[in-house]
Amino acid sequence: MVKKLFLFLVAVACFILFFVGSSNIHKLRSLEILWNLGHIATYCLWTYLLIKYYGPLKRQSYGCQWIWALGFALTFGVVVEMIQKEYLGRTADIGDIIKNMIGCGLSLAFFVPTRKNNGRLALLLLQLMVLITLVGESLPLARAFTDEWIARKQFPALGTFETPLEIARWEPNNSKITIDRHIKNQGKSSLRIDLTDNGFSGANLEFFPRDWRGFSSISFTVYNPQKSLLKMVCRINDFDHNHNGYHYKDRFNKKISITPGWNQIEIPMKQVQNAPVNRSMNMAEIELFALFFHKLNQPQSIYIDDLRLN
């Protein structure tokens, strides 16, 4: 009885978390991915409880339980995604629905009592298929943990672009980003950003060590392969900026002229700290470093290298 009550309380808590969320999960990529993997654990638990304690479903054959459980995972998953999109401002994600169904399959293959009614070989094949999908969903978490360890080892370097995992720290902004091994200022590679001529275009560094206290400047190099001058904007903001309405004057923005060839850029940290008009930047919780261009005459590429704190 105690076990049953405990499992039902956990199931209710999981339901609530779908609509509450956490304000801190985006500070670490691994934590964000781990949070999303909670869909698998939640639907695994819900499926087990439904089949174990809901009489009409409990008495169904194993095959019918699969049909009913997967139907529940799909239908309820879509409803939750729509509610999150409509009332919580989140983006509906088909990947979450896939995770729901993997969680459902995990429970059916490993935990529900009726699984034992199948032949041993059939059950082993079913369990293997579920495990393969589970491993596939877990690989991004392994990559994130690995790159976060690399980032801590590299710090105060924020961008050396020497490992392929490093590109996942960046988010393209109306652009395409790749690791390039032909044009570089140091090491073996740089970050290539293929810009568009449609509005704002650039790239955001979103996952990195957040505490920038004790450093005097941030520096990086930019390669402009064109023969003309480009106007680039560098943006830096902390997590407090999100709660202050994302106002332009509440963050650091600097226009930088990028001449043909390599450009060495260095920004004093005092300028970053004093950029918000009515407060000081929280240098212990930097959220975003972004480089972007506006209304280019034509699509073109730039290369970023050796991004570091000094």
Side-chain angles (χ1 to χ4, degrees), residues 3 81 98 101 181 217 255:
K3 177 184 176 182
E81 292 296 316
I98 292 173
M101 300 186 77
R181 298 193 179 277
S217 66
K255 293 183 179 179

Tab-separated table of all heavy atoms in Angstrom, residues 3 81 98 101 181 217 255:
chain	number	residue	atom	x	y	z
A	3	LYS	N	3.945	1.519	-1.088
A	3	LYS	CA	4.590	1.624	-2.401
A	3	LYS	C	3.623	2.193	-3.430
A	3	LYS	O	3.986	3.064	-4.235
A	3	LYS	CB	5.091	0.250	-2.846
A	3	LYS	CG	5.704	0.241	-4.235
A	3	LYS	CD	6.082	-1.171	-4.654
A	3	LYS	CE	6.598	-1.186	-6.088
A	3	LYS	NZ	6.935	-2.560	-6.547
A	81	GLU	N	1.282	19.080	-25.094
A	81	GLU	CA	2.081	19.982	-25.932
A	81	GLU	C	1.257	21.189	-26.373
A	81	GLU	O	1.759	22.320	-26.392
A	81	GLU	CB	2.620	19.243	-27.164
A	81	GLU	CG	3.665	18.189	-26.868
A	81	GLU	CD	4.935	18.754	-26.272
A	81	GLU	OE1	5.415	19.796	-26.767
A	81	GLU	OE2	5.452	18.167	-25.301
A	98	ILE	N	7.708	11.668	-28.984
A	98	ILE	CA	8.472	10.434	-29.226
A	98	ILE	C	9.017	9.887	-27.913
A	98	ILE	O	8.971	8.673	-27.656
A	98	ILE	CB	9.609	10.701	-30.228
A	98	ILE	CG1	9.020	11.005	-31.618
A	98	ILE	CG2	10.568	9.517	-30.301
A	98	ILE	CD1	10.042	11.452	-32.634
A	101	MET	N	6.376	8.038	-25.951
A	101	MET	CA	6.083	6.699	-26.453
A	101	MET	C	7.215	5.723	-26.138
A	101	MET	O	6.982	4.532	-25.915
A	101	MET	CB	5.794	6.764	-27.948
A	101	MET	CG	4.601	7.673	-28.261
A	101	MET	SD	4.074	7.679	-29.975
A	101	MET	CE	3.197	6.118	-30.060
A	181	ARG	N	38.019	23.848	-41.233
A	181	ARG	CA	39.432	23.527	-41.014
A	181	ARG	C	40.346	24.137	-42.085
A	181	ARG	O	41.518	23.798	-42.151
A	181	ARG	CB	39.616	22.005	-40.971
A	181	ARG	CG	38.860	21.357	-39.823
A	181	ARG	CD	39.282	19.921	-39.573
A	181	ARG	NE	38.564	19.342	-38.452
A	181	ARG	CZ	38.905	19.506	-37.181
A	181	ARG	NH1	39.960	20.246	-36.876
A	181	ARG	NH2	38.200	18.945	-36.221
A	217	SER	N	38.856	41.430	-19.800
A	217	SER	CA	38.331	41.650	-21.151
A	217	SER	C	37.890	40.329	-21.771
A	217	SER	O	38.216	39.251	-21.270
A	217	SER	CB	39.389	42.301	-22.049
A	217	SER	OG	40.481	41.406	-22.266
A	255	LYS	N	28.647	47.974	-31.741
A	255	LYS	CA	28.836	47.862	-33.185
A	255	LYS	C	30.323	47.838	-33.493
A	255	LYS	O	31.083	48.682	-32.987
A	255	LYS	CB	28.156	49.034	-33.891
A	255	LYS	CG	26.642	49.006	-33.786
A	255	LYS	CD	26.017	50.164	-34.561
A	255	LYS	CE	24.495	50.119	-34.469
A	255	LYS	NZ	23.855	51.250	-35.208
